[in-house]
Amino acid sequence: MREKNLPLWLELAKQETPKGKLPSYIPLLAQVDPQAIAIAIHHPQASKSEAAGDITLTFPLMSVIKPFLLLYLLETMGFEQVFRLVDRLPSQEAFNAIPEGKPRNPMLNSGAIALSSLLASSKILQNWLNHRSNASLYLDQAMLDSVRSVVNRRNLAIADRLQALGLISNPEQALAVYEEICCLRGNVEDLAKIGVLLVDTQRSAYIPIVLEIMTKCGMYAASEEFAQDIGLPSKSSVSGAILSVVPDVAAIACYSPALDAIGNSVGSLFLIHQLVAQS
Ligand code: GLU
């Protein structure tokens, strides 16, 4: 990548954020500063990192945790156990659609809730990620209470359907763990640090699998277009975070909470477009 002007790009990205809206279905997410913005880029091979903006500001990972749930389960349980519960296919469905059969991929809520049934508690994933990446993720109890203060009927229906399909046996437990892992919290540096676990494609045979699923399914309904335009394995979340991986080169973590109509962060998308355009 050529010389970057991160502070200037952050200012330009900030000017874009009024085009987006804060989500409202999780009360605490509606109360954050819509102008907050931060980026961290870690290049593990070069032992180099860069960051700019509100880098100490923390946020809940929400759906950005999904690739890491997948990575953890693949590395600790293997391919068979994971892909018995979920496919690895692109999907035109909404991220919170109720599945007709086996969930199409682990980036959908249905796929992630199915996989959460394999995790005894969010603490296991939190510790695994922190130990391996030197991040400082923690469970945001206030956010978890906020998530649970409004009944999420879609996720409840997904968990019940997964049980009816014979994929999980304890929907309450799967949903509880799913909600907890979504409420793991950190700043952009933490997200870039865990992102580094996905950078070295030779480290584990599972990494190319996770990256392929992120490329096909990581950006909600914009996944196909984003894959064509940007081509970086990425995952976005309702909290406004986006993690992009430049395979074998870098992990890019962005945060800006206002979302476009599809549900992707306006400011984070702007920053990733800038980086790719300048590289
Ligand atoms: N916990 C959120 C939900 O299930 C995560 C959504 C997201 O980030 O896409 O609605």
Side-chain angles (χ1 to χ4, degrees):
M1 283 179 195
R2 275 191 285 151
E3 197 55 34
K4 297 184 271 300
N5 191 342
L6 292 181
L8 172 69
W9 295 352
L10 286 181
E11 278 315 307
L12 294 173
K14 243 185 205 183
Q15 289 170 23
E16 297 290 308
T17 59
K19 292 182 188 159
K21 271 198 355 216
L22 294 179
S24 57
Y25 77 99
I26 297 173
L28 274 187
L29 287 185
Q31 292 174 26
V32 301
D33 173 7
Q35 289 278 85
I37 192 155
I39 183 167
I41 308 172
H42 288 202
H43 304 257
Q45 268 98 335
S47 302
K48 204 177 92 185
S49 63
E50 303 157 88
D54 302 308
I55 53 178
T56 57
L57 193 70
T58 60
F59 49 88
L61 296 184
M62 294 292 164
S63 279
V64 169
I65 197 66
K66 290 171 178 169
F68 299 98
L69 172 65
L70 176 62
L71 180 71
Y72 169 77
L73 293 174
L74 283 170
E75 292 203 358
T76 55
M77 294 183 178
F79 192 93
E80 298 289 319
Q81 281 234 54
V82 167
F83 291 109
R84 191 177 59 75
L85 294 184
V86 63
D87 273 320
R88 38 199 286 213
L89 303 167
S91 158
Q92 304 305 319
E93 300 165 314
F95 77 99
N96 58 1
I98 300 161
E100 296 294 326
K102 193 171 164 180
R104 288 182 70 84
N105 66 69
M107 301 300 121
L108 295 168
N109 283 12
S110 55
I113 294 170
L115 290 184
S116 294
S117 72
L118 298 175
L119 196 65
S121 84
S122 64
K123 194 85 184 158
I124 296 173
L125 182 58
Q126 176 190 328
N127 289 343
W128 188 80
L129 288 170
N130 284 343
H131 287 148
R132 297 192 47 155
S133 71
N134 203 27
S136 306
L137 300 178
Y138 62 95
L139 179 63
D140 179 350
Q141 186 61 47
M143 188 62 65
L144 184 59
D145 293 344
S146 183
V147 164
R148 291 177 177 165
S149 70
V150 182
V151 179
N152 188 327
R153 295 189 192 286
R154 303 292 294 194
N155 286 350
L156 274 172
I158 288 170
D160 285 344
R161 176 66 60 82
L162 294 170
Q163 183 186 35
L165 289 164
L167 292 167
I168 66 174
S169 57
N170 186 341
E172 291 80 20
Q173 182 271 346
L175 199 51
V177 171
Y178 169 75
E179 288 169 348
E180 283 179 20
I181 62 173
C182 286
C183 291
L184 291 177
R185 188 174 185 104
N187 57 32
V188 273
E189 293 282 13
D190 294 310
L191 182 55
K193 284 178 184 171
I194 62 172
V196 163
L197 298 175
L198 294 169
V199 169
D200 179 358
T201 58
Q202 307 290 310
R203 186 177 66 75
S204 136
Y206 297 122
I207 292 182
I209 295 175
V210 177
L211 294 180
E212 188 199 332
I213 293 172
M214 288 170 75
T215 302
K216 284 199 242 167
C217 321
M219 300 294 287
Y220 304 119
S223 297
E224 199 179 334
E225 193 190 329
F226 187 85
Q228 276 163 13
D229 290 356
I230 303 294
L232 296 179
S234 300
K235 183 72 197 90
S236 70
S237 86
V238 72
S239 58
I242 298 185
L243 172 73
S244 291
V245 176
V246 185
D248 297 309
V249 178
I252 306 166
C254 300
Y255 171 68
S256 173
L259 308 178
D260 67 16
I262 288 176
N264 292 315
S265 161
V266 172
S268 299
L269 273 179
F270 180 91
L271 290 171
I272 292 163
H273 276 98
Q274 284 296 314
L275 280 165
V276 169
Q278 303 291 322
S279 62

